[in-house]
Amino acid sequence: MPLVTSTEMFRKAYEGGYAIGAFNVNNMEIIQGITEAAKEENAPLILQVSAGARKYANHTYLMKLIEAAIIETNLPICVHLDHGDTFELCKSCIDGGFTSVMIDGSHHSFEDNIALTRQVVEYAHDHGVVVEGELGRLEGVEDDVKVSAEDASYTNPSQVQEFVERTGVDSLAIAIGTSHGAYKFKPGTKPQLRFDILEEVERRLPGFPIVLHGASSVIPEFVQMVNTYGGNMPDAIGVPEDMLRKAASMAVCKINIDSDLRLAMTGTIRKYMAEHPADFDPRQYLKPARAAIKEMVRHKLIDVLGCNGKA
Ligand code: G3H
Ligand code: 13P
Ligand code: ZN
């Protein structure tokens, strides 16, 4: 099975009322944990690579690890650039074999976002690659860019049709109240998402795949594990799973998850190191970390995304 784009995945997900998991990958153990769970649950997958991941692990290493995962699993897997911020970065990923790219022009003006996104779409479509655009800004940290609560803004549904028509994007990320990282909602407040905006976007773009960023649940078990074994993560709060299930049953076809992978890995490694202070073989602590990622991803595929059995 060669790498695939997300076109067919999204079509089926939209019709079936479920979503595809887009998991951020940075190294071999993360890729193995995710893809082993997907293989056992027969789930389609998007593996996404940020500019930071590409800098850390190197494009070729990540591509070859993903190619290895395809050989091992025989699953439909789409390789996606997460938060591309320039035409040059998107081009480099397209030329290097990615099947999907995100051009995140959400911090530009509406017109500049359209112009940049259109430029990427033209190059991508000429090369058989699909494009995710973004309208509206999410709070939180991506690489070196921090978006403050004041600068974050919800997507304006009245702009989505024009954006999609003028850019030709294949999917659209919108801002409805999620944010990147582990601190998504104010402590003591009830997490809320603007489902009214999602509904309005769906009404204006019937059948069009919508993407939800910042969609980790910040699983309390792993936060607790980090804190029990020497960490200090006060008031880490994620998106409740029932809200993600609801979004997946609507127009949301792609749900982005990174922080939950980081927490599963870090919590498990902290625990292992605390319990085995004399151990210095990386395989000994990476093995349980990989297993924790696998079980966490299995839970997401079945209980949150509903894409198990859909490969
Ligand atoms: O949206 C951001 C993702 O969590 C990727 O994070 O840029 O630190 O790799 P990163
Ligand atoms: P989280 O930080 O909620 O995992 O979001 C990841 C994401 O949106 C990657 O693009
Ligand atoms: Zn994101």
Side-chain angles (χ1 to χ4, degrees):
M1 162 91 57
L3 282 171
V4 297
T5 71
S6 49
T7 307
E8 196 56 14
M9 291 182 189
F10 288 167
R11 192 187 58 73
K12 290 188 193 158
Y14 199 104
E15 281 169 14
Y18 62 89
I20 311 295
F23 298 97
N24 284 73
V25 297
N26 291 279
N27 66 17
M28 183 184 78
E29 284 76 13
I30 295 174
I31 291 173
Q32 287 177 331
I34 296 164
T35 55
E36 282 172 18
K39 182 181 180 180
E40 287 177 17
E41 300 307 327
N42 195 33
L45 268 184
I46 297 173
L47 297 180
Q48 55 187 12
V49 174
S50 68
R54 213 161 160 259
K55 233 183 273 170
Y56 169 75
N58 168 309
H59 182 98
T60 310
Y61 276 93
L62 289 172
M63 279 305 278
K64 294 296 170 193
L65 286 168
I66 294 169
E67 282 170 21
I70 290 178
I71 293 168
E72 288 297 317
T73 63
N74 204 30
L75 284 175
I77 295 180
C78 166
V79 187
H80 173 76
L81 168 65
D82 192 27
H83 294 284
D85 59 348
T86 60
F87 172 79
E88 290 70 28
L89 174 58
C90 293
K91 180 179 181 301
S92 168
C93 290
I94 293 165
D95 294 346
F98 281 31
T99 52
S100 174
V101 293
M102 174 188 195
I103 177 68
D104 181 355
S106 58
H107 46 289
H108 293 301
S109 70
F110 186 62
E111 284 302 324
D112 288 353
N113 189 357
I114 288 180
L116 176 61
T117 306
R118 177 75 218 159
Q119 188 191 10
V120 172
V121 167
E122 277 170 10
Y123 189 81
H125 285 183
D126 278 350
H127 293 78
V129 169
V130 293
V131 179
E132 174 186 326
E134 178 164 335
L135 258 187
R137 301 192 68 186
L138 267 71
E139 192 185 337
V141 185
E142 293 155 22
D143 263 343
D144 303 331
V145 184
K146 188 173 188 320
V147 181
S148 68
E150 304 83 66
D151 288 343
S153 66
Y154 296 116
T155 301
N156 178 351
S158 71
Q159 293 182 323
V160 296
Q161 261 171 313
E162 184 183 346
F163 185 81
V164 167
E165 276 166 22
R166 287 178 59 196
T167 58
V169 283
D170 304 278
S171 61
L172 181 68
I174 62 169
I176 59 168
T178 62
S179 60
H180 292 107
Y183 307 96
K184 299 188 190 297
F185 299 99
K186 286 208 172 64
T189 61
K190 199 168 166 289
Q192 269 176 336
L193 295 188
R194 292 288 304 273
F195 282 102
D196 58 321
I197 294 179
L198 177 56
E199 262 167 32
E200 187 54 24
V201 169
E202 190 171 345
R203 196 182 69 74
R204 287 168 184 260
L205 292 173
F208 193 81
I210 300 302
V211 177
L212 199 60
H213 282 248
S216 279
S217 295
V218 189
I219 298 172
E221 173 198 341
F222 291 120
V223 175
Q224 206 182 333
M225 209 182 264
V226 168
N227 285 343
T228 303
Y229 297 99
N232 180 14
M233 295 186 60
D235 301 323
I237 302 168
V239 185
E241 289 185 346
D242 59 333
M243 291 188 188
L244 295 170
R245 273 198 297 274
K246 181 173 170 183
S249 74
M250 298 168 69
V252 170
C253 294
K254 172 173 179 274
I255 289 191
N256 285 12
I257 297 164
D258 188 3
S259 295
D260 279 335
L261 295 165
R262 296 178 180 195
L263 280 166
M265 182 156 219
T266 304
T268 310
I269 291 174
R270 276 191 179 278
K271 180 172 190 289
Y272 185 88
M273 298 303 267
E275 289 172 351
H276 304 83
D279 233 333
F280 61 95
D281 179 347
R283 293 170 298 186
Q284 296 305 320
Y285 55 84
L286 289 172
K287 204 153 80 171
R290 180 175 60 191
I293 284 177
K294 179 176 173 180
E295 290 319 308
M296 189 277 287
V297 169
R298 189 198 306 282
H299 162 67
K300 298 272 183 195
L301 298 173
I302 298 172
D303 303 314
V304 178
L305 300 154
C307 61
N308 53 313
K310 310 290 190 188

